[in-house]
Amino acid sequence: MADRAGREDPKQEQMAGRRVSPEGTQLTTDQGLRVDDTDNSLSAGERGPSLLEDFHLREKITHFDHERIPERVVHARGSGAYGHFTLHESLAEYTTAEFLTDTSLTTPVFVRFSTVAGSRGSADTVRDVRGFATKFYTRQGNFDLVGNNMPVFFIQDGIKFPDFVHAVKPEPMNEIPQAQSAHDTLWDFVQLQPETMHMMMWVMSDRAIPRSYAMMQGFGVHTFRLVNAEGRGTFVKFHWKPKLGTHSLAWDEAQKISGKDPDFNRRDLWDRIDDGDFPEYEFGVQLVAEEDEHRFGFDLLDATKIIPEEEVPVRPVGTMVLDRNPENFFAETEQVAFHLGNVVPGIDFTNDPLLQGRLFSYLDTQLIRLGGPNFPQIPVNRPIAPVRNHHRDGYHQMDVHPAQASYHKNSLSGGCPAVGGAGSFSHYQERVDGNKIRKRSESFADHYSQATLFWNSMADWEKEHIVGAFRFELGKCDHMHVREGVVAHLNHVDHDLAVQVAEGIGVAPPEAAVTANHGRSSPALSQADSPADSVQGRKIAILAADGVDAGAVTAVADALTGAGAVCDVLAAKDGRVRADGGGQVEVTRAMPTVASVLYDAVFVPGGEESVQTLAQDGDAVHFVAEAFVHCKAVGALDAGIGLLERAGITTVEFADGNVVSDDGVVTGEGPAAREELPARLIEAVAAHRHWTRDKAHVPA
Ligand code: HDE
């Protein structure tokens, strides 16, 4: 079976045999018996009791009663997609993994993105880490890269994970708050575990509210090991970089989207793939020779540390494109089972104690979630490589094993399946020596300097967002000592940061720095440096009412859709609006069914009558003002400028002499402006957000 680009896709070929379509079929029981009625139970007389003999009723209800399985204990809320991975540069010098050495291969993948803390039905745009888990269906077996959109983690040792998760999840007495980190137990954990500080800086940054899964980085987090044909190991960190750049929502916007469209990121992923606007990521590696293990000021085995890209550049070696939506959410996205231990020859582990803890957890958790040891046989989990072993029986065994011998060694099946030989996995032979102890290595003791590095690397607007996030989250904590504890740790990260946070949450600001800021930064950590040159998949709202300048609507919509964006014409009601020169303009959606938070930009075309109507409509005025406050591109032509003014934008000069910035506000009058406005608007939308905009005086 070929993918959309005409490539043969062995995974899809395998899946095709499992797809069940209702077309042209008759309704049957699970035994294949055609039924004559599925709306009425079998009963004794028209108004009589239902009969136990009604096998159809019992089967139907019983199956329904058992439809639910336990949700994932973390990362319960997720969205998946298929795609493929292609390699541009061979890593044969470092690894024997075929999919990382043979540039002629295309490897099918399934990716699941997720939030961490919320339950399966929680909103997408909460402040949280995002999971970025990739299953590579390689010819040598499945390789699972189970990463996140942040390169570090909260804790250094897997044994603390249950404590951490209990702290971040809703509180046990009342299950409040859902999918939020803004509550006492999480921050109590944080103030007592300074190793969380680096990760908390990431979680309080814009990274925690991605605009789209297509605009999100991914990281393997741990240091893994590549092993080459000679058995030489090289440390490696895995990276995904989105082609569209890394971009985020505004916090106020994210909260509102949680109500307006809780499926915002899921819908965005689905629509992009459906529209052929395929999310694309560059796959990169940071490689460190084994002899350089101790050359850093931190321990490579410590998952609360990054290797700054300026010290070890990320080498781009491949591309992943997500180009196929799943066909059944439960069968594929819910039942997909990732496991860090799913590796292929040439990829191995390190002694990172967080990684080691995970190696136990992922297989174990599937046993309860998917009901037994045969979950690798579920279609989405099946490798494309043949599976032959002596595992037998268990719940939901799908395969029929006719061989007499189900043991090794055997002579009855000709000694098969045979063990070993070329292409088989053998563990990296690392020398290990030591006493059995429960003790963290001293090399894991520095919890602040990379948190400081992150802070120093932020643009001013990113710093403002981080301070705002800490204030928001800690401001929701009832216990003053918890707030104070966190501020005390922040004072080790950066004194200014600690003071700014303290001032917003009623905590006495620390008087002096405990640790001097080391002043180092890593520009690669800032989203300000991320590519912002495309409007691909961006959503633009065009506001209209009767009398709208249809020419302006068409000019802007054509230019933006031509560049890959999606334009919706919004009016008070569905249907059509009358154009100024006669004719009609099709309305895509009625304004009350959407909101400005669901769009990346808004454009108000001219037409006196249309703009006058919009100016009387609170929804329209609010739409424009809110887009402005969320730092989005705002465009207006001719009379349309009037609606911006009505919303308090562009021409307002305040008593303090402060003029609202026109950064990202694209306006113009007359034929020349009509000519050039679409291109200017495209540029403003591509810039993502105009974070430095002075928006204090526009209410929304
Ligand atoms: Fe996970 N994690 N995790 N985790 N994790 C799970 O596995 C766990 C950690 C990550 O879309 C669970 O199948 C432990 C780091 C993702 O299906 C569970 C520890 C990173 C997903 C589990 C960690 C992750 C999970 C829950 C500390 C980033 C979603 C359901 C030792 C590198 C995968 C499941 C999907 C899911 C355990 C820490 C990423 C319970 C014990 C670090 C993306 O097994």
Side-chain angles (χ1 to χ4, degrees):
M1 191 175 185
D3 67 11
R4 292 192 201 209
R7 265 179 306 255
E8 286 308 313
D9 186 329
K11 184 62 195 172
Q12 291 307 321
E13 216 167 281
Q14 188 192 56
M15 296 292 293
R18 307 297 312 176
R19 293 194 177 107
V20 181
S21 148
E23 247 164 77
T25 61
Q26 296 272 334
L27 191 85
T28 72
T29 65
D30 279 342
Q31 306 308 316
L33 178 74
R34 279 170 54 178
V35 296
D36 60 347
D37 183 342
T38 192
D39 296 327
N40 298 292
S41 308
L42 191 68
S43 60
E46 266 187 31
R47 302 181 59 251
S50 301
L51 298 178
L52 190 59
E53 138 182 7
D54 190 349
F55 55 82
H56 180 45
L57 164 76
R58 280 188 286 117
E59 183 193 79
K60 188 172 173 182
I61 299 278
T62 305
H63 197 281
F64 165 76
D65 290 344
H66 295 259
E67 275 177 9
R68 296 288 172 270
I69 62 170
E71 65 173 34
R72 287 167 175 81
V73 61
V74 282
H75 295 265
R77 167 86 186 165
S79 309
Y82 291 96
H84 57 267
F85 172 76
T86 44
L87 186 73
H88 310 312
E89 190 192 318
S90 170
L91 290 172
E93 194 187 333
Y94 306 100
T95 178
T96 53
E98 195 190 44
F99 82 106
L100 292 179
T101 55
D102 186 342
T103 52
S104 71
L105 285 182
T106 296
T107 304
V109 297
F110 184 83
V111 173
R112 183 173 179 273
F113 301 108
S114 49
T115 56
V116 178
S119 60
R120 212 186 122 179
S122 58
D124 279 344
T125 58
V126 294
R127 192 189 329 266
D128 199 354
V129 188
R130 298 300 184 283
F132 190 143
T134 308
K135 194 179 279 294
F136 295 81
Y137 302 98
T138 89
R139 300 198 306 185
Q140 297 177 296
N142 288 349
F143 169 60
D144 290 357
L145 181 54
V146 197
N148 279 342
N149 75 328
M150 298 177 193
V152 287
F153 202 62
F154 299 92
I155 48 172
Q156 297 171 318
D157 187 322
I159 198 167
K160 278 163 100 145
F161 193 63
D163 299 302
F164 164 68
V165 174
H166 290 172
V168 71
K169 281 272 186 178
E171 300 194 0
M173 57 292 183
N174 53 14
E175 267 229 341
I176 296 175
Q178 180 57 241
Q180 314 275 317
S181 47
H183 59 112
D184 281 282
T185 54
L186 184 262
W187 289 99
D188 189 31
F189 182 87
V190 167
Q191 63 124 354
L192 295 169
Q193 303 279 0
E195 71 199 60
T196 55
M197 286 319 292
H198 186 193
M199 182 63 164
M200 290 319 294
M201 295 297 295
W202 283 83
V203 180
M204 292 303 105
S205 80
D206 290 358
R207 302 275 180 155
I209 36 174
R211 158 66 181 83
S212 160
Y213 292 138
M215 300 176 191
M216 199 173 81
Q217 271 179 278
F219 304 88
V221 174
H222 310 281
T223 304
F224 289 86
R225 199 187 311 260
L226 296 180
V227 185
N228 74 1
E230 288 84 53
R232 179 168 56 87
T234 303
F235 293 115
V236 61
K237 293 249 190 207
F238 295 115
H239 293 252
W240 294 113
K241 292 194 186 209
K243 184 178 146 203
L244 297 179
T246 309
H247 301 295
S248 296
L249 300 166
W251 176 230
D252 177 65
E253 180 190 15
Q255 292 177 84
K256 288 173 175 163
I257 294 174
S258 289
K260 297 279 185 187
D261 185 7
D263 305 303
F264 184 75
N265 289 135
R266 174 180 289 183
R267 190 187 306 282
D268 174 86
L269 178 68
W270 182 276
D271 287 350
R272 277 175 195 273
I273 294 176
D274 220 32
D275 292 349
D277 166 22
F278 303 138
E280 199 174 315
Y281 310 81
E282 185 183 89
F283 181 69
V285 288
Q286 279 178 301
L287 298 169
V288 177
E290 288 210 331
E291 51 277 23
D292 289 341
E293 180 175 4
H294 302 294
R295 91 160 146 98
F296 302 94
F298 56 88
D299 198 323
L300 283 182
L301 304 184
D302 175 358
T304 67
K305 304 295 184 294
I306 56 159
I307 310 178
E309 290 187 31
E310 292 74 15
E311 276 184 62
V312 178
V314 178
R315 187 159 149 185
V317 293
T319 304
M320 177 169 75
V321 178
L322 300 180
D323 56 5
R324 183 187 284 267
N325 279 317
E327 277 159 288
N328 183 284
F329 185 91
F330 179 83
E332 297 161 282
T333 308
E334 192 61 18
Q335 290 200 110
V336 68
F338 293 94
H339 176 26
L340 213 69
N342 291 349
V343 285
V344 290
I347 302 182
D348 214 316
F349 316 116
T350 60
N351 297 329
D352 168 350
L354 190 71
L355 188 162
Q356 295 284 326
R358 294 180 73 198
L359 285 173
F360 170 72
S361 182
Y362 288 73
L363 182 57
D364 182 50
T365 201
Q366 315 305 347
L367 297 177
I368 178 90
R369 199 169 73 79
L370 298 170
N374 290 315
F375 66 85
Q377 296 180 12
I378 294 171
V380 68
N381 295 324
R382 267 186 192 261
I384 55 164
V387 176
R388 297 283 181 272
N389 54 40
H390 298 299
H391 302 168
R392 288 292 180 274
D393 310 344
Y395 285 112
H396 320 304
Q397 176 58 256
M398 298 293 153
D399 292 337
V400 179
H401 301 102
Q404 186 180 4
S406 54
Y407 51 89
H408 180 79
K409 304 167 175 175
N410 71 69
S411 65
L412 301 183
S413 297
C416 292
V419 174
S424 54
F425 183 89
S426 31
H427 286 271
Y428 178 70
Q429 298 196 4
E430 183 180 11
R431 190 183 156 77
V432 180
D433 189 18
N435 296 331
K436 270 193 256 174
I437 47 166
R438 281 194 193 275
K439 183 175 178 297
R440 194 77 50 85
S441 166
E442 277 306 310
S443 56
F444 281 44
D446 168 16
H447 304 316
Y448 300 117
S449 55
Q450 285 212 348
T452 308
L453 181 83
F454 184 76
W455 173 251
N456 291 348
S457 311
M458 296 292 103
D460 286 347
W461 53 268
E462 289 175 304
K463 287 185 171 170
E464 266 170 42
H465 295 176
I466 291 172
V467 170
F470 273 111
R471 286 179 170 188
F472 177 94
E473 299 262 319
L474 292 170
K476 293 218 171 208
C477 292
D478 294 333
H479 292 87
M480 214 49 177
H481 76 274
V482 168
R483 299 184 187 194
E484 287 162 356
V486 177
V487 169
H489 287 304
L490 290 178
N491 202 32
H492 287 266
V493 176
D494 182 78
H495 181 61
D496 262 6
L497 165 66
V499 169
Q500 286 183 63
V501 172
E503 279 171 350
I505 57 169
V507 165
E511 279 174 15
V514 225
T515 328
N517 186 317
H518 54 59
R520 291 190 300 277
S521 63
S522 164
L525 299 177
S526 170
Q527 289 185 237
D529 274 5
S530 193
D533 50 8
S534 163
V535 297
Q536 198 68 40
R538 295 285 183 175
K539 293 192 75 180
I540 289 84
I542 301 177
L543 305 192
D546 279 340
V548 69
D549 174 355
V553 174
T554 314
V556 164
D558 284 357
L560 276 148
T561 44
V566 177
C567 290
D568 286 355
V569 176
L570 310 182
K573 285 184 268 175
D574 249 329
R576 292 182 181 78
V577 289
R578 184 170 33 77
D580 55 352
Q584 295 193 314
V585 174
E586 198 83 36
V587 175
T588 322
R589 291 201 187 280
M591 229 177 295
T593 66
V594 289
S596 110
V597 290
L598 306 180
Y599 291 88
D600 291 291
V602 55
F603 171 63
V604 189
E608 288 289 348
E609 185 192 348
S610 168
V611 177
Q612 268 174 28
T613 309
L614 292 171
Q616 300 307 312
D617 179 346
D619 279 350
V621 178
H622 181 256
F623 198 109
V624 173
E626 198 177 42
F628 180 81
V629 168
H630 292 152
C631 302
K632 297 173 180 177
V634 178
L637 203 55
D638 301 327
I641 296 170
L643 187 63
L644 271 50
E645 284 170 357
R646 172 86 174 79
I649 306 170
T650 66
T651 55
V652 191
E653 194 165 337
F654 296 93
D656 61 2
N658 194 0
V659 179
V660 175
S661 152
D662 69 351
D663 189 12
V665 177
V666 180
T667 54
E669 285 173 283
R674 177 184 296 239
E675 279 291 303
E676 54 169 63
L677 186 127
R680 284 172 55 212
L681 193 56
I682 285 176
E683 210 177 298
V685 176
H688 178 60
R689 296 298 164 82
H690 302 270
W691 296 118
T692 52
R693 177 180 289 167
D694 178 358
K695 53 196 187 296
H697 303 284
V698 175

